Every structure is written in C-alpha cells, then in structure tokens.
Amino acid sequence: MPYFDAASSAPLHPIARQALLAALDEGWADPARLYREGRRARRLLDAARETTAELVGCRPDELVFTSSGTRAVHDGIAGALAGRRRTGRHLVVSAVEHSAVLHSAEAHSDRAAAGNGGAAGGDSGPAGGDVTYVPVDRGGRVAPGSYAEALRADTALACLQSANHEVGTEQPVAEAAAECRAAGVPLLVDAAQSLGWGRVEGPWSLLAGSAHKWGGPPGVGLLVVRKGTRFAPPGPADERESGRAPGFENIPAIVATAASLRAVRAEAAAEDARLRALVERIRARVPETVADVEVVGDPERRLPHLVTFSCLYVDGEALLHALDRAGYSVSSGSSCTSSTLTPSHVLKAMGVLSEGNVRVSLPPGTTAEQVEGFLGALQEAVAGVRAELGVPAHGAAEAAPAAGELVVDARGRRCPIPVIELAKAFDRVPVGGTALVLSDDEAARLDIPAWCGMRGQEYVGEEPAEGGGTGYRVRRTS
C-alpha cells in the first residue's frame, strides 16, 4: 500500500533499524556511570551526538537530545524567552508555524493576559508577553524584510520554520536570521521538515528537529543552542543533557537517529531530483485530470517531496477515506477532516481554498508507477465524492432568475455544502446581481472567495448575518 504521508512520519530507514537493534544490546546502561557498561553507553551517546552535530552544522556541546521534536520546540522557546527576560517579553513567529510553535506562543500570550510573572524585566516567574504573527503570501512564504519590520527593542525571540509542514514552502531563513542578528535577537528555526534534506543555512541561534520526520525512530528530538545565546532551561534542574533535556537518555533510539540522518543525507541529492520530478508530475497532472482544483504552496521554493492541493465541492474526510480504500495513505488540512471544524491555520493564513484538501508527501523509494496509480485513484475518488454530494454539473442550463438578491442559507452545514449550495443556486442570479451565502462554518471564509476566483465571479465581502453566522456576498459578472 503506497504510503504518501512522509511529512507526518517517514518510514523507519533500514539503517535506523539496524542501528537501533545493535544499540539495544550495547547502549542500555547509564551513560553517567563509570563502570564498563556505563562507559560503553557513554561512547555510543557521544558518537551519536558528534555525528548529528556535524550533519546539523553545530558543535557537539551545543546539541542535546530530547524526547520529541515538540519537546525541543517547547523547551527551546521557553528557555530562550527566560534567558532574555531582561531584554523584554515580545515574541515574533510566522503565521504558518507548526502547532508546536503556535501553542508555545499562545501560552506565552495567555500568561501575559493572566498577569503571571510580574512586570517586564523581573527575575522570577514564567512571565508572558505579547506575540507578533508575521503574515505570508498566497504561496505560504514570508516576505523579505518582514522579520526586520516585526522586531522591536523588547523582542526576546523570533521563530521561523525552515519549510512548511503542510504545503512544503521553504522560508527565507538565512535572510531572516541575518535581520535578527543585526537587531541582536536570536532566531529559533523549526527544521523538522527540512533537516533530512540538508543543513539550515544562516546565522540562526537555536534549532529544533525531530528524528521520525526523516526516517529515524519516533520519540527523539534534537535542540541546538548556539554558544553566546542566552538560555535558561525551563523546569527543575537536571544533570542530563547539559541540564536542557531532563530524563534518562534513550541511547538506542539516539544512535538510530544519528545513523538515519547520516544515511538520508547520503541519499538526499539523488532522492531530491527523483522525487521532485514525481511531485512536478502531480502538480501538473492533478489540474488536468480533476476539475476545480487549486494547487497551493510555492511552486519553486519548496521541499522536493511534498505537494498540496484542494478540490472544490469535496468533503475532505470522505475523499481521504476513498483514497485509503483505493490503497493510498495521504493527509489533509481540510476543516472537514478535523474535529475542530476549522480549516488548517496554514491554509487560512495563505487565504487559499481549504475544502477537499490533500497533502501528498512522498517517502524515499516512491516509484513513478505508484504516482500514476495515485493520479488515477484520485480522479475516481473525487468524482465519486462529488456524485454522492450532488454537485451540479458546471455549465448546466440556466434556471429561473431570482427576484432580488438570492439568499442561500447554509447555516448548520459543514464544508463543502455551503459552496455546493451556492453553485446549485447561482444560475438563478442575473449578471450584475448578487447572492448572499449564510454560513456558520469557518471554512466558508476561505472557500467562497476561492470559488469566486475559480469561477471568475466577484467576491464582494462578508457581514454579520441576522440570526447568527456570517453572510458572504458574491456578484455575478458573467
């Protein structure tokens, strides 16, 4: 069964499996002890740290292993903010960061709102502060100079991912890091998605990664704090990992982490070229074979193995189940696959279509035959889901015109129903007339403007709806 969700978790690399099994026999003892078994475990841990540090591009004493990539992000942000609390409590992040970063930012802001920790510049308590969210363009990329504009005299830390986990867009980390360094502000880079493909360039100060994203074992993250960066480890003191990652080290998994990173880097150039060509095929063929599709993300500055697209008039959960039945494992940022009923914050920040969203992230070894099979399965799955939802055929005969403004009340109905109801009724709107779609689904804020763009109609705007929800007005131009 082709597994096309490597961005969530890559299959365990064969080298990682071999290293893990070997280290289970050799690395079980306490590396802090001086007897033979402890010294053997310490040698394995030190060698893994040196290998990983070389591949990341830092000193071994700057790198610690954590229990996950999320833990590395949380501790990195908390430690950097605490270390620079005398400077200020302002945090800068991009609007499309991973939820691990955004949750830390929310907690930081919540602490400030609760008044916890006293006045800025104090020495005690996990005080919070305010957060600036840097916007992105429709490709998901922050603009050059945007981080320099967001920095202030009281900025303690800035965060920017190296590449986006949902749409694959690469961020200008080197430029942002230079802007931050010029202002004396450390930059933390979430490199979880890109570290398997190469080093993160630029004068960044902190970096987080996650082994299972590149084919290492789950449950191992890494945190780099470069020398000269003020850092106060959060939580009680611990003698492990320079006091920055408490708890007993999982040496077998750490050894497998280092071995897998070295292995995937050795294969990166060849796999980059091969997978990039397969992704280009998907980017070109999906709009050709499936009507009403928007491919999202930067078409050039992107990860080689990842592509995301959204299908109009499609329930995302039903589409993923249909593809699963056809034998293809993919993921989605659509609100109709989420228990929160809200669209992905990444798609929302980009302002692109969210319904029927599919993320394809190819693991190493994916073949052209598997991609061709997926393209055929996708076409059938989308057609089947649309037929079940009663999607009207585009270009159907014009119905009787509406008297006055056409109102489509789709409140209480999830995406993609509001847009489908609009499409069914829109032929009744005369040229120059308007339709008002009433919806209480957050996805409509993205999907109705996207429908207008794809159909060549004018999106007028939104307004509060009497009786609850939001009204979205559309003018017929042709």
Side-chain angles (χ1 to χ4, degrees):
M1 180 172 180
Y3 175 78
F4 288 172
D5 195 20
S8 290
S9 188
L12 190 66
H13 194 284
I15 295 297
R17 182 184 298 276
Q18 294 173 13
L20 180 64
L21 293 175
L24 284 171
D25 292 330
E26 299 292 326
W28 50 267
D30 188 343
R33 300 293 174 250
L34 299 179
Y35 42 70
R36 178 175 55 242
E37 293 86 356
R39 295 196 306 272
R40 187 163 56 212
R42 169 57 63 181
R43 286 194 295 270
L44 288 173
L45 179 59
D46 289 345
R49 194 185 316 276
E50 290 174 3
T51 296
T52 306
E54 179 185 0
L55 294 166
V56 170
C58 66
R59 292 167 40 155
D61 59 352
E62 295 174 330
L63 184 148
V64 299
F65 294 103
T66 66
S67 58
S68 68
T70 298
R71 183 80 268 162
V73 166
H74 288 176
D75 288 353
I77 292 175
L81 288 172
R84 283 176 50 82
R85 62 185 180 272
R86 291 181 178 275
T87 298
R89 306 189 190 280
H90 179 229
L91 174 64
V92 176
V93 302
S94 85
V96 294
E97 294 297 310
H98 189 275
S99 59
V101 173
L102 296 184
H103 289 163
S104 288
E106 291 165 7
H108 182 63
S109 180
D110 288 345
R111 285 194 297 269
N116 183 19
D123 291 326
S124 63
D130 58 326
V131 181
T132 295
Y133 295 89
V134 178
V136 296
D137 60 21
R138 283 186 65 86
R141 203 166 193 263
V142 301
S146 57
Y147 266 64
E149 294 175 3
L151 300 177
R152 306 185 325 209
D154 65 336
T155 302
L157 177 68
C159 303
L160 180 63
Q161 59 190 190
S162 54
N164 188 260
H165 51 291
E166 288 196 26
V167 300
T169 298
E170 293 178 330
Q171 300 292 356
V173 170
E175 294 88 339
E179 293 167 6
C180 290
R181 171 162 289 191
V185 175
L187 178 72
L188 182 148
V189 179
D190 174 11
Q193 288 297 333
S194 72
L195 209 50
W197 298 103
R199 289 184 178 182
V200 177
E201 301 300 331
W204 47 265
S205 300
L206 303 98
L207 181 142
S210 185
H212 74 101
K213 299 292 188 181
W214 66 68
V220 180
L222 58 89
L223 173 63
V224 177
V225 182
R226 278 180 162 163
K227 295 295 182 182
T229 302
R230 290 187 176 275
F231 190 88
D238 191 272
E239 69 274 10
R240 306 273 176 182
E241 292 297 292
S242 304
R244 292 177 180 167
F248 194 89
E249 297 95 342
N250 186 345
I251 293 177
I254 289 172
V255 170
T257 292
S260 61
L261 184 56
R262 181 169 53 193
V264 299
R265 285 287 189 84
E267 302 162 356
E271 283 298 299
D272 183 303
R274 203 174 62 80
L275 295 181
R276 195 173 292 273
L278 294 178
V279 165
E280 285 294 349
R281 184 180 304 183
I282 297 173
R283 291 181 67 92
R285 289 278 304 282
V286 167
E288 293 175 354
T289 57
V290 180
D292 298 313
V293 166
E294 181 179 13
V295 180
V296 301
D298 194 297
E300 300 294 335
R301 295 167 295 194
R302 58 173 177 80
L303 292 172
H305 69 304
L306 195 156
V307 56
T308 297
F309 50 88
S310 299
C311 307
L312 200 60
Y313 312 132
V314 169
D315 178 281
E317 185 173 0
L319 179 57
L320 262 59
H321 283 312
L323 289 171
D324 181 59
R325 289 193 297 271
Y328 296 90
S329 303
V330 297
S331 65
S332 173
S334 172
S335 63
C336 18
T337 64
S338 168
S339 59
T340 65
L341 305 185
T342 58
S344 148
H345 70 276
V346 173
L347 302 178
K348 186 175 180 179
M350 295 167 61
V352 297
L353 180 68
S354 72
E355 69 185 51
N357 178 260
V358 175
R359 181 185 69 179
V360 176
S361 46
L362 307 178
T366 300
T367 66
E369 290 75 20
Q370 289 173 328
V371 168
E372 284 299 318
F374 168 76
L375 291 170
L378 175 70
Q379 188 175 8
E380 294 180 8
V382 171
V385 172
R386 286 175 173 168
E388 290 179 5
L389 292 171
V391 176
H394 181 49
E398 185 173 338
E405 182 173 60
L406 176 69
V407 177
V408 177
D409 193 342
R411 286 174 291 195
R413 310 189 73 181
R414 291 179 56 190
C415 80
I417 301 303
V419 174
I420 291 176
E421 293 300 315
L422 171 63
K424 287 180 177 178
F426 201 67
D427 281 336
R428 295 175 56 199
V429 178
V431 174
T434 59
L436 183 67
V437 183
L438 306 180
S439 176
D440 49 14
D441 185 349
E442 181 67 20
R445 184 165 281 111
L446 296 176
D447 297 344
I448 291 176
W451 181 89
C452 292
M454 298 170 80
R455 283 283 175 261
Q457 308 301 332
E458 179 187 355
Y459 177 66
V460 179
E462 66 177 71
E463 61 189 49
E466 184 178 351
T470 304
Y472 303 92
R473 183 166 281 107
V474 177
R475 177 175 287 112
R476 183 168 183 176
T477 59
S478 60

